[in-house]
Amino acid sequence: MSFGPAPSMYTQSALAADETRKRRRRRVLGAAAAAVTAVAVCVGGWLLWPGGKAQGTGTPAAARQAPDDIRATVEKRPASPEGQPVVEHGEKDLPKATDTQPLYAPGTWATGKILAKGIARRIEGYKITPKYDEKAWTLELGGHICATSRHVTADGRTAVVIQPPRPEGTAKKGVCDQVVFFDLNTGKKLWQKKMPEAGSAYVTNTNLTLAKGVVAIAWGSGSVAYDMKDGKQLWNGTSAAQCADQGFAGGRALLALQVCGQRPDVTYRVQRLDPRTGKPQWTYRVARGVQAVYLPSSEPPVLAVAAGDSMVTDLITLDGRGKHRATISLDGYEAKCGTRNFSSSFFGVVENCDGMVVGRTQAYVTSKENIAINQPSNWIVAFDLKTGRTQGKFEGRWLQMVHPLRMSGDDLLIYRRAGVLTPAAVVSWNPRTDKETPYLLFTLPEDDEFDLSDPEQSDIVVEQGRVFFARRELARDEEDPKASVLMVIGYGSAGLAH
């Protein structure tokens, strides 16, 4: 597989990823040994749900959305939380890959009928049908996927940026300069456009997002936006500007992250843009000394910043006019911004903070792992966006880490990993009442549970009563090269939703 910028840049990213993998493996082996010892001395039983009752969420029904709105599904509580497989697909005859050159599988999206998965140069759609592995469609892209977005329109459309094939040795080998907009339910390509002046767009710097009716892409030295309806170009930015667009955050609004000046003396600013014209509606200037900025939420606007460190240290919340509201220290927390693909900046990182979710009035952030025996392995804390104060805490369990997934109305959907005697679960947490509601209980395949449960390695998507787990990288079993490798698995309720 060959894609990325000039070999020197890609090689450095790959070597760093390789070293991160080695550190993670050492940590996993140590944690497994500690868990075995702890289980041996553990006494007592487990309650599946504290108090033995499932509590109602009080989540309001979703407002009706227009087709080109960005989807914001409010989940219905299943009649039964008992889960059953609804999708399970493995890839066979994988090519030989190494830690520094794996087979990438970026992008996972779900509708009520289809689970769609990106893999190398194509996207495949699988029917959501219990006990069957049935492929509904395949969309051949003609080039490797370079950037994806988690956003989907209300009627089930999304986009990817691809790297068109070019002869070896050509000047533009590795350039990611085409965007494809497609329908998730049918696999139909709706339009494909060549991005203007995108000769420096690579897998390491290209970011893609969706806002109402608009697809927007930025690559650090340029940007462009298209109309979802027909692919007509709406506006574009160039590197000639004093501050260049590094990436966008979409959803309910469109924010631009801009870099001003030349490295190492650069500063950042964030602008809210009119999606149709690209004109700024307000500008927030980030303080000097910040090394990186991420945009986990466009509305309400929230920035995750690395101040004096390479990892995120603080959240900055803004009001609707771009004015500072609060700064939240993340000492002891892991927002997990820019940590996908073993901290390689592939496939778009500006919006991806897998350790946190932003709601209408609160930000929910995961704590660092706690290795103490018979104590919660981690927890999720709710911070008030206006004051920055803590407003609630959802605890995991011993050997059962919890991960925030997304909002469902004003409730938070949480994935809780399996324990020694308890299954994995998706639950809903109402931070106003501190009540927990079970949505789905299920058991992931034992050999795949660790990778699939790690949000830094796999996509975890909840949509319309189901949860899906999908690897972002695939590697064959060298002892059995032709064996099928599990790529995606999903669970739905064995009962009917009400």
Side-chain angles (χ1 to χ4, degrees):
M1 179 179 182
S2 172
F3 78 132
S8 59
M9 285 182 62
Y10 184 73
T11 301
Q12 289 303 313
S13 298
L15 290 175
D18 187 34
E19 181 58 30
T20 305
R21 284 182 177 90
K22 292 176 181 177
R23 289 197 300 268
R24 175 169 289 168
R25 286 180 183 136
R26 289 194 292 267
R27 188 184 73 178
V28 170
L29 291 173
V36 170
T37 303
V39 169
V41 299
C42 178
V43 179
W46 290 75
L47 289 178
L48 190 59
W49 303 108
K53 294 181 179 179
Q55 303 291 343
T57 65
T59 300
R64 187 174 183 84
Q65 292 187 288
D68 61 355
D69 283 337
I70 304 306
R71 183 178 65 189
T73 310
V74 176
E75 295 294 327
K76 296 179 180 179
R77 177 181 164 194
S80 168
E82 180 184 356
Q84 65 173 341
V86 293
V87 164
E88 185 171 354
H89 178 76
E91 283 291 305
K92 296 181 179 180
D93 299 322
L94 289 170
K96 185 174 183 179
T98 66
D99 276 347
T100 57
Q101 197 78 334
L103 180 65
Y104 290 108
T108 306
W109 309 270
T111 69
K113 301 177 181 178
I114 295 292
L115 185 283
K117 187 77 187 82
I119 174 171
R121 302 162 60 96
R122 67 187 188 275
I123 300 170
E124 295 183 344
Y126 311 107
K127 290 185 178 180
I128 301 173
T129 308
K131 300 180 182 180
Y132 289 95
D133 177 9
E134 187 175 353
K135 190 182 300 183
W137 52 260
T138 299
L139 175 59
E140 295 290 349
L141 297 170
H144 288 293
I145 299 171
C146 293
T148 68
S149 173
R150 70 176 184 271
H151 297 302
V152 175
T153 63
D155 63 354
R157 296 168 293 158
T158 193
V160 294
V161 174
I162 67 167
Q163 175 196 94
R166 295 181 175 94
E168 291 290 343
T170 59
K172 289 191 174 183
K173 179 68 177 177
V175 171
C176 303
D177 61 358
Q178 293 193 21
V179 57
V180 177
F181 192 60
F182 63 100
D183 188 305
L184 288 166
N185 284 307
T186 64
K188 180 181 178 181
K189 182 193 299 183
L190 302 175
W191 49 259
Q192 181 171 345
K193 298 293 179 178
K194 187 177 187 300
M195 294 142 52
E197 301 179 39
S200 59
Y202 298 109
V203 69
T204 54
N205 63 0
T206 303
N207 287 267
L208 162 74
T209 198
L210 278 63
K212 181 178 174 62
V214 173
V215 178
I217 310 106
W219 53 94
S221 58
S223 59
V224 65
Y226 298 97
D227 191 326
M228 286 181 182
K229 182 179 179 180
D230 53 13
K232 178 183 178 181
Q233 182 177 314
L234 298 174
W235 49 267
N236 73 298
T238 68
S239 57
Q242 182 181 1
C243 299
D245 293 328
Q246 185 174 14
F248 297 114
R252 293 184 292 270
L254 183 63
L255 295 188
L257 172 62
Q258 298 184 323
V259 180
C260 308
Q262 300 295 322
R263 294 191 182 278
D265 185 27
V266 301
T267 59
Y268 295 91
R269 71 182 189 185
V270 175
Q271 291 185 326
R272 177 165 177 164
L273 306 181
D274 180 323
R276 306 296 300 182
T277 66
K279 293 181 178 179
Q281 298 172 332
W282 52 251
T283 300
Y284 176 81
R285 290 174 172 80
V286 181
R288 287 186 176 273
V290 168
Q291 297 187 23
V293 179
Y294 302 89
L295 303 176
S297 174
S298 65
E299 178 58 42
V302 175
L303 288 60
V305 302
D309 197 340
S310 59
M311 304 299 290
V312 167
T313 56
D314 302 271
L315 298 182
I316 297 174
T317 68
L318 308 178
D319 65 15
R321 298 175 297 171
K323 303 298 182 182
H324 179 272
R325 299 175 79 186
T327 298
I328 301 169
S329 171
L330 294 186
D331 184 24
Y333 297 91
E334 288 189 326
K336 298 185 184 295
C337 303
T339 60
R340 289 186 178 181
N341 303 104
F342 301 95
S343 299
S344 299
S345 56
F346 298 164
F347 313 115
V349 300
V350 169
E351 288 186 285
N352 297 331
C353 292
D354 294 308
M356 64 175 293
V357 170
V358 178
R360 185 173 54 87
T361 60
Q362 295 173 315
Y364 306 87
V365 189
T366 310
S367 74
K368 292 185 177 179
E369 185 174 359
N370 176 26
I371 62 173
I373 294 175
N374 288 333
Q375 293 185 19
S377 291
N378 74 334
W379 46 89
I380 299 168
V381 173
F383 293 93
D384 181 78
L385 295 179
K386 185 176 181 180
T387 66
R389 298 191 185 102
T390 59
Q391 289 194 320
K393 179 180 180 182
F394 184 94
E395 291 190 341
R397 301 170 180 171
W398 180 52
L399 302 180
Q400 287 188 270
M401 297 185 72
V402 289
H403 304 288
L405 299 179
R406 69 167 176 85
M407 300 304 298
S408 175
D410 285 333
D411 292 351
L412 178 67
L413 297 178
I414 296 170
Y415 169 58
R416 178 159 51 213
R417 297 177 65 164
V420 177
L421 299 174
T422 55
V426 172
V427 304
S428 175
W429 179 45
N430 183 327
R432 301 166 302 284
T433 62
D434 195 30
K435 291 181 179 179
E436 170 188 335
T437 301
Y439 270 46
L440 289 172
L441 305 174
F442 49 90
T443 301
L444 289 166
E446 183 178 358
D447 291 343
D448 303 285
E449 193 274 339
F450 180 80
D451 289 349
L452 293 177
S453 292
D454 183 357
E456 295 180 46
Q457 298 188 65
S458 297
D459 294 325
I460 307 175
V461 176
V462 177
E463 184 63 31
Q464 298 189 39
R466 293 112 170 192
V467 60
F468 305 93
F469 299 81
R471 282 189 169 95
R472 299 193 189 105
E473 296 182 9
L474 298 174
R476 71 181 186 181
D477 184 348
E478 292 302 332
E479 295 182 0
D480 188 3
K482 294 187 177 295
S484 178
V485 174
L486 182 63
M487 182 172 70
V488 61
I489 190 167
Y491 298 88
S493 174
L496 299 175
H498 64 75

